[in-house]
Amino acid sequence: MRYLIQQVFRSPRFLFGFGILMAMLLMVIIYPLIVTYPPLEIISQGTFLPPGIYVSVYDSIDPANRYILHLDDATTKRIASKLGDDDRLAMQEWLLAVGVPENEIDLQDTVKLLEQWENHFDPTVKITGMTNAQRNYYIRLNASLDGILSTEGAIIAESNSQTGSLEQKDIVEQSYYVNVNQVPNVRVLPLGTDNFGRDVLTELVKATAVSLQIGLVAGIIATMIGLILGLLAGYVGEVVDDGIMFLTNLFTVIPTIVLLILISYSIGQEKRGAVTIAVVIGVTSWVWTARAVRAQVISLRNRDHVNLSKLSGHSIFRIILRDILPYIASYVVMALILQISTAILAEAGLSILGLGPRTTEVPTLGLMMNWAMIYQAQILGKWWAIFPVIVVIALVSFSMNLMNTGLDQVFNPTIRD
Amino acid sequence: MKRLTAILSILLALSILLGACEQATPTETEEVAVATEAPPPTEVPEVEPTEAPLSAADIAAALPRNETMYFNGMQWGPVACWNPYNANCNNAMAIVEGDSANFVMFEAPYMYNMLDGQQVPLLADGPWSWNDAQTEITYRIKDAAMWSDGTPVTAEDAAYTWATHVKYQTNAGGANGPYIDTVEAVDEKTVVVKAKLNDEGKPVNPLIVKAFLSSTYIIQKAWTQTLEARVGDDIAAFNADTAEDVVYSGPYHKFFTDDTKVVLIRDDNYWGQDASMWGKLPVPKYIAHAIFKDNAAGSVAFAKGEVDVSQQFNSNIQLLWLNYCLPISTYLPDAPYGIGASLPTAFYNLQSHGLDNVAIRKAIAIAVDYPTIIANAMTNQSATFDQVPRSLMNPTPGEQLLYDRDAVADLQWAGNDIEGAKALLDEAGVVDTDGDGWREYEGQKLSYIATCPNGWSDWQAAIEVVAAAGAEIGIDITTNFPEWSVYQTVVTKSDTPLAEGYDIFMMWSAGAGPTMPWGRIRNLLSSEYVGMPVNWNGNWGQYSNPEVDALITAIPGESDPNVLKGIYTDLVRIYLTEVPSFSLMYRPDLFHAVNETVWTGFPHADDGTDPPVPPMVCHRGYSVACLYNVTLVNP
């Protein structure tokens, strides 16, 4: 046994797969200890906030945290963020359309360009061939250019509770900076937020844990059913074999996903928890395990040591447990690993169809993808809501398959090194 | 053994069949058969006479882009029929009656304009008028109005249409029957619509009589008689007739349909090019609706410019122009992007434990974080309750003026008022007595299930926010999303108490129309729906208040604007005090986003049209005017 385990851990493929899985497990265990926010808490007003560090604006204007830096390129950067090259070209287009000669327009001379713009832009002018979308663009551009060249600071005023008038309280100059480490309210969202306004990373870690649990439960159920039926069919034979194989063949010809969909639908959403889904997946995916176990048992049952056991009067269960099971244990472990990986994929598949676990009690990988797609994350380029989920699913599946082939290398005599 | 196998096989096959029955939607199989029928040969348009003429299917497979306007978001399956008497033809591009009726193939006397609340004459010549006693409406049909077979539209057609609706018990007949007595032809062109009168000799409901003029098509008498000859007195056969031979008066008619698209082609002899109506033909030669699998597929096509007018909930639509610089725009350039017309509402099951207590109802309602619902669930495509304080009115300026906002200002909560909600509950004695963190009422923990149909994503996201509010104030609210087929049977059954699991549930309210806001208020509050075995009208929480009923009954017969304002204000006050339900957001009747890759000149705010063309996807109500205003971006 020890030798076997040593062998297994010498297989580079197994090790690599095992490493990935362990890394994910560690993440799932350690992350919630460090980041203790509830994974389903709605924190952002607005969907799909991009990944980044969110600094409280209100706290940043506190004079206590104020530093002055004189940076040469600050103004250039500020202007460039509001007036890109495309915007300049669009301004030129407008100016040409209202009759400004082309040689008078210098796209690089921001001051002159803005002056010409101010003189000639009129949102009510109808330019032939201009669509409403373009008109809206120019109105937005015009609004964003307001005060772009200003060198003065922004005034912070307070409303006088008696007169209702605004009274100047502070000026935030353009050269003021704040050290993010000193702002009391900073939230790092490494993967932004999702359509509900939840922190994607925190949710993803929880979802990975839940999906792994679903996979484990479903995998164990499927393997247990498959193992028991396969052992019985293979060893007892005759009517029992016929009966079990009849059942197995029935399940073989019905595609698993169809069964899954039908069962999940008929259970109804109110009863579909994560465990229920795991059970459903488990009871629909034992078929191949049963067939393979049966085949192996049939080849084992006439071996000498089994016959000796029979002659010694050992019970069926003892024979199966002591004389047959150990010989197929390696196969069963490999099957279990594959079953877990398949179950995680099955949950994702079901959830994408809207038939997964009840929404928002617990997150699962499939549910996260489902909601991201309902809110069109993939169309709107909100990669952080969907891509990390796909990567996690791929990694789980990849690591388990690697472990499986690694085990195969060790246990399968035909491909053993 | 073999026999056992056979029996087991049969059992399994049966179980699969039975299982499958529950899954299927029963109508679709029939519709496919209809939709794949080839169109009649007369409808094949003239094409370049070089080779053998192309069939409609060939042309429809590659419609000339510069002559076609594409739509999405209204048709989700194949068309079943072209019968304007049948409300269930699943034919959104040709047959939709109601406040925002579709006027491309069939026409009504008037078109409703949701922006100014006016009814614009279509088949009718000039405005209609009441008689002095307000018991009958008279209007005249335009001399120029013609059917597609070249015969004039007459008053007799209008009268016969109504008689047929009554005789064959159609949807329109059923809905208007209690309010409209007869439609009569005075002379060839003059129509009189007589209202049903109550015991006092006053019309039962003049508002509905008025709305009838812009919500119900006029259908040709001669064709109706052909149909009757075909089906006899058989009501089912009358409704089931696919009406491929229907005579119409509108500018477009059937060209091609299958299960991927519906195409209508312009009738170049359309009467409306007469100076007394539009003075010209609508610009696109074809209007087509692509049938997509789901919203996501429709959104992709819309972003790519394959769809010109989109009636879908495109989440975060502003990103299409802000981030992707696509030539896409909405009616308003900024949030909420459209004109909110209806009030998706969370209803309380007033028989649930504790929800009969107004303090608990109000506490939940004021604790809900509406800004998050609007920002996240609706991606800002709704006005906020700060911009348009809650009442029973939709956000259109016309309705907002109908009640006295100052008189109820202290009742109009904007949400997120956790402390206020807690204080309210404490005051009412609804406190946590056993220290488990949840409040008890009459010794029982307050625990509710909030629900809406599965797959209705924006509603689901909104209901999640409602549930979150419960946790903040010590009321346990969990969510549940049953399938629509289950949900609708439970919610619309108003003759028994609602089933368990429906403590707080979402439904819609009426949008814009000539009977609004009265119709919406009636739907939300009137007890006349309590006791209905199938209730699609409203008040699904089964609220009952005689004072409210009296006020609702008084409105239709009242013409003094000051008195009306008083009544509406009273109703709003009662609604916000008693909280039998609460709106979660505002929502447009139809989403209306346009991609100006091919066409431009769509309605948008301040577009200079007079009367203003409403953003109702260019063919509902007066929005059909848009089809005459559009031009090609690259002619």
Side-chain angles (χ1 to χ4, degrees):
Chain A
M1 193 65 187
R2 221 173 109 196
Y3 172 75
L4 255 182
I5 293 175
Q6 272 178 2
Q7 282 290 308
V8 164
F9 277 92
R10 272 191 207 132
S11 156
R13 286 192 201 176
F14 179 86
L15 264 186
F16 190 49
F18 189 73
I20 297 176
L21 192 66
M22 281 305 121
M24 281 201 290
L25 274 178
L26 270 183
M27 176 86 168
V28 162
I29 294 164
I30 293 173
Y31 182 94
L33 299 178
I34 302 167
V35 181
T36 50
Y37 303 117
L40 292 178
E41 189 186 18
I42 295 172
I43 55 167
S44 77
Q45 189 177 313
T47 52
F48 300 126
L49 263 55
I53 302 169
Y54 288 78
V55 183
S56 161
V57 178
Y58 185 85
D59 294 338
S60 325
I61 57 172
D62 181 359
N65 296 337
R66 191 165 284 167
Y67 300 94
I68 294 175
L69 297 181
H70 293 291
L71 303 178
D72 292 340
D73 55 353
T75 316
T76 325
K77 279 186 180 169
R78 191 173 300 121
I79 293 176
S81 74
K82 289 190 170 180
L83 185 59
D85 290 342
D86 291 344
D87 297 326
R88 288 173 199 262
L89 282 171
M91 286 165 83
Q92 182 185 29
E93 222 169 278
W94 174 283
L95 293 173
L96 290 174
V98 294
V100 179
E102 191 168 2
N103 54 12
E104 279 182 25
I105 304 172
D106 180 0
L107 288 184
Q108 298 319 313
D109 185 345
T110 310
V111 178
K112 191 179 164 199
L113 187 67
L114 285 174
E115 191 187 312
Q116 285 171 325
W117 176 256
E118 211 160 284
N119 291 338
H120 291 99
F121 178 72
D122 178 3
T124 54
V125 168
K126 293 228 157 154
I127 294 179
T128 43
M130 191 171 80
T131 63
N132 186 40
Q134 283 166 324
R135 181 175 154 269
N136 287 343
Y137 162 75
Y138 280 118
I139 294 173
R140 281 197 306 276
L141 177 65
N142 186 52
S144 81
L145 295 179
D146 189 32
I148 189 175
L149 292 180
S150 159
T151 53
E152 282 152 28
I155 293 172
I156 293 170
E158 211 168 28
S159 165
N160 185 319
S161 57
Q162 269 155 34
T163 60
S165 62
L166 289 177
E167 287 169 8
Q168 179 171 332
K169 191 182 160 201
D170 192 9
I171 295 185
V172 180
E173 297 292 350
Q174 295 188 351
S175 55
Y176 287 179
Y177 286 80
V178 60
N179 183 336
V180 173
N181 295 332
Q182 291 170 348
V183 179
N185 283 304
V186 176
R187 177 81 183 250
V188 184
L189 298 173
L191 292 175
T193 66
D194 69 356
N195 65 291
F196 289 104
R198 299 166 177 160
D199 175 356
V200 173
L201 183 61
T202 312
E203 196 183 354
L204 181 64
V205 171
K206 176 73 182 165
T208 311
V210 174
S211 285
L212 283 173
Q213 282 164 6
I214 290 179
L216 199 68
V217 171
I220 288 174
I221 291 175
T223 312
M224 287 309 288
I225 298 176
L227 184 63
I228 292 167
L229 291 182
L231 284 170
L232 283 177
Y235 185 76
V236 181
E238 297 185 2
V239 184
V240 176
D241 188 20
D242 285 344
I244 292 175
M245 284 324 286
F246 171 74
L247 194 69
T248 314
N249 286 336
L250 272 185
F251 273 92
T252 315
V253 289
I254 306 170
T256 316
I257 187 75
V258 175
L259 264 186
L260 268 181
I261 291 172
L262 289 177
I263 297 176
S264 303
Y265 187 88
S266 55
I267 287 175
Q269 215 212 347
E270 55 275 20
K271 296 190 192 83
R272 278 204 304 265
V275 180
T276 319
I277 287 294
V279 173
V280 171
I281 295 172
V283 297
T284 51
S285 53
W286 49 268
V287 180
W288 291 106
T289 315
R291 290 179 74 101
V293 168
R294 171 181 172 269
Q296 299 217 359
V297 173
I298 286 175
S299 81
L300 281 170
R301 79 174 165 197
N302 290 324
R303 296 244 182 117
D304 291 345
H305 72 279
V306 179
N307 285 332
L308 269 175
S309 268
K310 273 189 205 164
L311 284 176
S312 312
H314 290 153
S315 70
I316 288 184
F317 289 103
R318 192 190 145 115
I319 295 173
I320 288 180
L321 220 61
R322 299 285 290 269
D323 299 322
I324 291 183
L325 201 54
Y327 290 83
I328 56 170
S330 61
Y331 175 80
V332 172
V333 172
M334 284 160 61
L336 174 65
I337 291 175
L338 272 192
Q339 293 278 20
I340 294 175
S341 145
T342 322
I344 291 173
L345 287 179
E347 184 276 322
L350 271 185
S351 296
I352 283 181
L353 293 173
L355 293 170
R358 196 164 148 166
T359 314
T360 61
E361 233 162 51
V362 285
T364 70
L365 296 172
L367 280 176
M368 286 183 75
M369 276 213 280
N370 182 30
W371 278 101
M373 283 167 69
I374 288 173
Y375 274 79
Q376 302 173 343
Q378 79 282 24
I379 297 169
L380 298 171
K382 307 296 180 192
W383 58 266
W384 55 88
I386 194 159
F387 191 65
V389 187
I390 295 174
V391 169
V392 168
I393 292 180
L395 276 180
V396 170
S397 178
F398 176 65
S399 66
M400 296 208 169
N401 277 294
L402 264 185
M403 284 163 68
N404 194 52
T405 40
L407 286 174
D408 210 20
Q409 260 180 340
V410 176
F411 293 130
N412 191 337
T414 53
I415 56 169
R416 193 178 292 160
D417 295 331
Chain B
M1 187 66 218
K2 274 194 175 161
R3 184 175 289 174
L4 184 72
T5 316
I7 293 172
L8 279 174
S9 310
I10 291 169
L11 276 178
L12 188 87
L14 271 177
S15 70
I16 290 174
L17 268 178
L18 287 175
C21 292
E22 289 177 352
Q23 302 281 318
T25 43
T27 50
E28 277 182 7
T29 41
E30 296 165 36
E31 291 166 2
V32 177
V34 176
T36 45
E37 257 178 49
T42 47
E43 291 182 352
V44 176
E46 286 181 56
V47 283
E48 293 164 43
T50 45
E51 289 168 26
L54 291 167
S55 73
D58 293 333
I59 298 172
L63 291 167
R65 190 67 181 90
N66 268 357
E67 294 179 87
T68 313
M69 186 180 283
Y70 283 96
F71 296 80
N72 77 6
M74 287 163 281
Q75 185 86 33
W76 294 102
V79 166
C81 57
W82 296 83
N83 182 348
Y85 285 109
N86 182 352
N88 301 316
C89 277
N90 193 29
N91 195 342
M93 287 307 287
I95 305 167
V96 178
E97 291 188 299
D99 285 337
S100 37
N102 175 342
F103 293 128
V104 300
M105 187 160 165
F106 300 97
E107 296 178 318
Y110 294 87
M111 302 173 270
Y112 181 67
N113 185 346
M114 59 99 76
L115 285 180
D116 60 7
Q118 300 298 311
Q119 290 173 299
V120 183
L122 182 59
L123 286 172
D125 192 9
W128 49 265
S129 59
W130 281 112
N131 63 347
D132 291 340
Q134 257 208 18
T135 56
E136 50 186 64
I137 283 178
T138 308
Y139 67 87
R140 208 180 164 280
I141 287 177
K142 279 199 181 79
D143 291 330
M146 294 286 172
W147 296 108
S148 54
D149 62 4
T151 56
V153 179
T154 63
E156 191 51 42
D157 290 320
Y160 202 79
T161 304
W162 174 246
T164 311
H165 277 303
V166 174
K167 180 178 169 194
Y168 288 96
Q169 298 165 21
T170 64
N171 256 26
N176 295 300
Y179 312 101
I180 291 172
D181 191 22
T182 56
V183 176
E184 290 167 15
V186 176
D187 58 36
E188 200 185 331
K189 292 286 180 186
T190 310
V191 183
V192 172
V193 181
K194 290 191 172 161
K196 274 209 173 126
L197 306 180
N198 58 20
D199 299 338
E200 297 162 25
K202 287 189 171 168
V204 177
N205 193 321
L207 282 175
I208 291 181
V209 181
K210 171 185 160 186
F212 172 76
L213 302 179
S214 55
S215 65
T216 314
Y217 297 138
I218 294 181
I219 302 158
Q220 196 193 35
K221 178 181 180 182
W223 176 79
T224 306
Q225 285 170 331
T226 314
L227 177 60
E228 283 178 294
R230 199 152 63 210
V231 300
D233 288 336
D234 185 346
I235 292 176
F238 181 86
N239 276 308
D241 195 280
T242 57
E244 295 284 337
D245 60 341
V246 68
V247 178
Y248 50 91
S249 64
Y252 291 89
H253 60 280
K254 178 187 171 183
F255 180 65
F256 178 78
T257 68
D258 64 10
D259 41 15
T260 63
K261 59 159 94 70
V262 181
V263 183
L264 280 80
I265 186 171
R266 189 176 59 204
D267 178 1
D268 285 354
N269 295 317
Y270 172 52
W271 69 270
Q273 57 196 303
D274 186 83
S276 63
M277 190 59 228
W278 305 103
K280 57 185 172 185
L281 283 172
V283 181
K285 180 170 177 185
Y286 303 96
I287 52 177
H289 190 298
I291 300 171
F292 292 104
K293 178 181 143 282
D294 53 18
N295 259 354
S299 292
V300 172
F302 177 57
K304 282 168 75 180
E306 290 165 6
V307 167
D308 301 301
V309 183
S310 173
Q311 196 293 114
Q312 278 190 187
F313 174 61
N314 294 298
S315 71
N316 284 305
I317 188 154
Q318 75 285 359
L319 296 178
L320 294 179
W321 62 79
L322 289 180
N323 291 12
Y324 292 88
C325 302
L326 294 171
I328 285 173
S329 60
T330 44
Y331 187 74
L332 300 173
D334 302 304
Y337 307 105
I339 306 283
S342 71
L343 284 55
T345 294
F347 287 83
Y348 285 118
N349 175 2
L350 299 172
Q351 274 133 21
S352 292
H353 171 73
L355 291 182
D356 49 353
N357 181 316
V358 67
I360 297 175
R361 294 204 297 268
K362 184 142 188 176
I364 296 174
I366 64 175
V368 171
D369 184 355
Y370 302 98
T372 297
I373 290 183
I374 286 161
N376 297 16
M378 282 297 284
T379 65
N380 289 317
Q381 294 179 49
S382 158
T384 66
F385 289 101
D386 286 325
Q387 291 161 343
V388 184
R390 63 177 59 245
S391 60
L392 288 155
M393 315 295 163
N394 72 18
T396 54
E399 284 201 15
Q400 286 296 314
L401 289 175
L402 287 176
Y403 78 106
D404 183 356
R405 193 185 282 187
D406 295 335
V408 293
D410 54 334
L411 292 170
Q412 295 173 310
W413 67 90
N416 251 336
D417 185 5
I418 307 293
E419 292 313 313
K422 283 180 179 170
L424 201 60
L425 290 170
D426 291 342
E427 208 174 294
V430 182
V431 289
D432 178 17
T433 47
D434 57 7
D436 63 351
W438 304 110
R439 290 171 192 266
E440 282 83 30
Y441 175 67
E442 292 175 351
Q444 200 182 327
K445 175 188 162 191
L446 290 180
S447 171
Y448 300 116
I449 297 178
T451 177
C452 78
N454 190 29
W456 297 29
S457 51
D458 50 332
W459 283 23
Q460 280 175 277
I463 278 288
E464 288 296 336
V465 180
V466 173
E472 301 259 8
I473 58 170
I475 296 176
D476 180 22
I477 304 179
T478 51
T479 58
N480 181 33
F481 306 119
E483 295 304 317
W484 169 241
S485 52
V486 178
Y487 188 86
Q488 51 127 337
T489 24
V490 175
V491 167
T492 59
K493 190 164 168 50
S494 293
D495 58 347
T496 51
L498 283 150
E500 213 174 297
Y502 289 76
D503 301 312
I504 303 170
F505 56 97
M506 261 188 96
M507 281 295 264
W508 52 74
S509 81
T515 63
M516 300 304 155
W518 171 81
R520 184 180 318 112
I521 295 173
R522 177 186 179 209
N523 287 163
L524 283 169
L525 296 173
S526 173
S527 67
E528 68 193 282
Y529 307 123
V530 181
M532 278 188 171
V534 182
N535 166 22
W536 281 103
N537 302 293
N539 190 10
W540 293 284
Q542 304 178 17
Y543 173 71
S544 179
N545 182 341
E547 188 189 353
V548 169
D549 290 340
L551 289 170
I552 291 174
T553 319
I555 292 172
E558 185 57 60
S559 51
D560 181 346
N562 287 324
V563 177
L564 271 178
K565 194 166 185 171
I567 298 178
Y568 280 130
T569 312
D570 284 346
L571 281 165
V572 171
R573 182 181 297 116
I574 295 171
Y575 183 62
L576 296 183
T577 312
E578 299 247 309
V579 205
S581 60
F582 56 103
S583 311
L584 296 182
M585 56 180 98
Y586 296 111
R587 196 185 164 96
D589 259 350
L590 296 171
F591 290 102
H592 172 103
V594 298
N595 186 322
E596 292 169 291
T597 304
V598 177
W599 299 100
T600 184
F602 295 100
H604 59 84
D606 308 320
D607 57 7
T609 48
D610 184 31
V613 181
M616 297 287 281
V617 289
C618 290
H619 62 268
R620 297 288 183 86
Y622 182 62
S623 189
V624 76
C626 153
L627 290 173
Y628 300 83
N629 294 343
V630 290
T631 52
L632 286 169
V633 174
N634 298 308

